[in-house]
Amino acid sequence: MASVSGVPIWPDAGIRSAWLSQWQLPSLSVGIQIGLFKLLDSNPGLTSAQISESLKVSKRGIDALTAVLGALTFLECRGGAFHNSVETSLYLLEGSQFFWGHMLMGRPGSEASALHRRLHDAIVHDQVDPGAVNEWEAGSLPDPERAAAITRGMHSHSVAPAMALAASPRFKALNVTKLLDVGGGSGCFPIAMAQANPAFKGVVMEIDTVGKCALEFVAEAKVSEQITTIARNMFKDAWPTPAEGFNGVFFSNIFHDWNHAQNTHLARSAFNTLAPGGRILLHETLLNDDSTGPFVAAAFSMHMLVYTRGKQFTFKELQELLTSVGFVDVQVFPTYSFYSIVHARKP
Ligand SMILES: C[S@@+](CC[C@H](N)C(=O)[O-])C[C@H]1O[C@@H](n2cnc3c(N)ncnc32)[C@H](O)[C@@H]1O
C-alpha cells in the first residue's frame, strides 16, 4: 500500500533533508572564507545587516548563510544578533589549534568546491546561477525538451505535497471551486484537487512550453474536463479578470523565486483577478520567526539565493506583503513535509 487516497503513507521529509543537505558543507567553508566567524569572534552580537556591511557582501546572502548556520547551531541568534557557538569558536576559527578549515575547504576542483564557489559568488558578488531564472523572467523557455525536463523535476518535487494539500480538511474548508494556479508547472496541485472533487475547476497559467507539458500530465490523470491551461508571462501579460469567476489564486514555490517588487506585482495581480471574498493561497516552506531554521527552510532559502532572485519567508513577511496590496484575514496552516499554506481574503 503506497498511498491512502493518493497521499503517500510516508512523508518525503528525509529525501527533502538529504537533497538540501548539499548546502551544509559550503555554508561552513564559505563562512570561513569570507571571514564571518572571525568577525563575530571580535564583534559578537552583530545583526545580519551589520555583518553584510562589515564584510561588504550581499545582505540577502548573509541572511541565507546565517539562517543555515543558525539552524545547524554553528551560530546562535539572540534577539536578531548573531554569536559564534562554542563549537564554532573551537573548530571554525583560523588560529585555533583545533581549526578544521584545512579539511573543510576541500581541494581545488573537487565536487565540494563547485558548490562552495556558487555560494561564495552569490554572497560576495550577488551572482545568480544563469539557469532557468533569466528565461522565467522573460517568460520564455523556447527549448521544449528543457521545459519538459524542468517540469518533470518540479513534478517529482511537488506531487506528494499536492496530493496531501488536496486531501487536507483545512484546504477543503476554504471551499475553493475555481482556482488559478500561477506558474503551476505540471499542474499537479489542481490535478490532485480535481481528483478529490469532481466539481472543482482549475486553470494552470504558465509559460507556453511548460503549459503544453502540463496538458500531458492533465490528460494522463484523466481530468481534462476540469483542468485547462493558459499561456501567459505572469510579469508582462494581462491576468484573468474577476468576471472569469476564480475564487482562489494559488502560487506554489513561486514567491520564493522572486524579489520583493516582483512578488508585490504577483500579489497585486492576484488581488485584481479575484472577486471580493476570493482567496490568495501561497504554498511555501516557511522559516521560523527569527529566520534561523528549521534547517530545510533555511537550506531551501540558500538554494533560492544561488538559483533565483528569491528566498524562503517567515509567516510575518508574507503577511506584510499580502496586506500591503489589500488582502485581509491572513492565516496559515501546515500541510505536508515542511510545507504550509498562507492564505488571505480579498475584502
Ligand atoms: C519553482 S517552479 C514551481 C512549479 C509548481 N508551482 C510547483 O510548485 O511544483 C516555478 C514555475 O513558475 C513558472 N514560471 C516562471 N516564470 C514564469 C512567468 N514569467 N510566467 C509564467 N510562469 C512562470 C515556471 O515555468 C515553473 O513552472
Side-chain angles (χ1 to χ4, degrees):
M1 185 178 62
S3 67
V4 176
S5 311
V7 183
I9 56 166
W10 196 268
D12 63 4
I15 306 291
R16 217 166 269 279
S17 304
W19 174 52
L20 289 165
S21 70
Q22 63 184 296
W23 294 112
Q24 291 193 9
L25 178 56
S27 298
L28 296 182
S29 56
V30 169
I32 293 169
Q33 189 183 351
I34 67 174
L36 171 64
F37 307 122
K38 225 191 271 177
L39 175 72
L40 289 177
D41 187 51
S42 44
N43 301 278
L46 297 181
T47 63
S48 72
Q50 290 168 326
I51 294 170
S52 92
E53 207 173 292
S54 302
L55 297 177
K56 302 197 178 5
V57 297
S58 110
K59 161 86 165 52
R60 179 172 159 248
I62 291 298
D63 283 342
L65 185 60
T66 52
V68 169
L69 292 169
L72 294 173
T73 70
F74 291 111
L75 293 183
E76 289 166 12
C77 180
R78 297 179 216 138
F82 289 96
H83 302 257
N84 288 334
S85 69
V86 172
E87 194 172 1
T88 295
S89 300
L90 282 171
Y91 300 106
L92 298 177
L93 274 183
E94 231 165 331
S96 162
Q97 62 173 315
F98 304 114
F99 184 52
W100 256 83
H102 304 296
M103 177 58 85
L104 297 178
M105 302 299 280
R107 281 161 286 118
S110 68
E111 288 297 315
S113 73
L115 278 184
H116 170 101
R117 206 170 40 252
R118 284 190 172 184
L119 180 59
H120 177 269
D121 289 351
I123 293 176
V124 175
H125 305 302
D126 228 341
Q127 195 174 304
V128 173
D129 182 86
V133 75
N134 291 335
E135 292 167 279
W136 283 355
E137 206 157 42
S140 165
L141 273 170
D143 176 356
E145 278 178 26
R146 190 166 142 67
I150 295 174
T151 306
R152 270 197 306 275
M154 279 315 302
H155 184 81
S156 62
H157 170 279
S158 295
V159 65
M163 301 301 270
L165 177 62
S168 144
R170 293 188 70 176
F171 173 72
K172 288 181 183 166
L174 295 176
N175 201 22
V176 177
T177 49
K178 187 169 179 190
L179 183 91
L180 181 68
D181 182 9
V182 182
S186 71
C188 56
F189 286 89
I191 288 172
M193 292 164 193
Q195 287 172 330
N197 173 9
F200 173 88
K201 299 270 187 235
V203 176
V204 179
M205 183 163 118
E206 259 293 354
I207 291 171
D208 55 356
T209 44
V210 178
K212 286 186 183 131
C213 302
L215 284 179
E216 290 174 19
F217 283 94
V218 168
E220 197 179 316
K222 301 191 173 39
V223 287
S224 304
E225 301 275 293
Q226 290 169 266
I227 312 288
T228 56
T229 62
I230 46 173
R232 299 280 159 89
N233 176 347
M234 64 192 182
F235 293 120
K236 297 269 158 58
D237 295 335
W239 286 47
T241 65
E244 291 171 64
F246 290 101
N247 64 354
V249 178
F250 181 76
F251 299 83
S252 171
N253 299 302
I254 298 297
F255 276 45
H256 77 175
D257 290 333
W258 305 108
N259 65 31
H260 186 74
Q262 290 167 314
N263 284 331
T264 303
H265 171 81
L266 296 175
R268 188 167 287 127
S269 303
F271 190 89
N272 293 335
T273 287
L274 289 162
R279 289 200 163 262
I280 186 171
L281 299 98
L282 309 181
H283 181 255
E284 292 283 354
T285 298
L286 296 179
L287 286 163
N288 60 22
D289 291 347
D290 68 2
S291 296
T292 54
F295 170 74
V296 162
F300 210 8
S301 214
M302 185 164 276
H303 206 69
M304 294 305 121
L305 169 77
V306 172
Y307 293 107
T308 76
R309 314 221 182 285
K311 69 192 240 14
Q312 298 308 125
F313 298 94
T314 65
F315 169 67
K316 193 158 167 278
E317 287 170 328
L318 290 178
Q319 186 179 37
E320 280 169 8
L321 178 62
L322 295 181
T323 50
S324 76
V325 301
F327 285 105
V328 295
D329 185 23
V330 188
Q331 296 181 38
V332 61
F333 60 88
T335 55
Y336 170 88
S337 190
F338 306 107
Y339 272 93
S340 294
I341 286 285
V342 174
H343 62 99
R345 183 169 48 82
K346 176 171 174 171

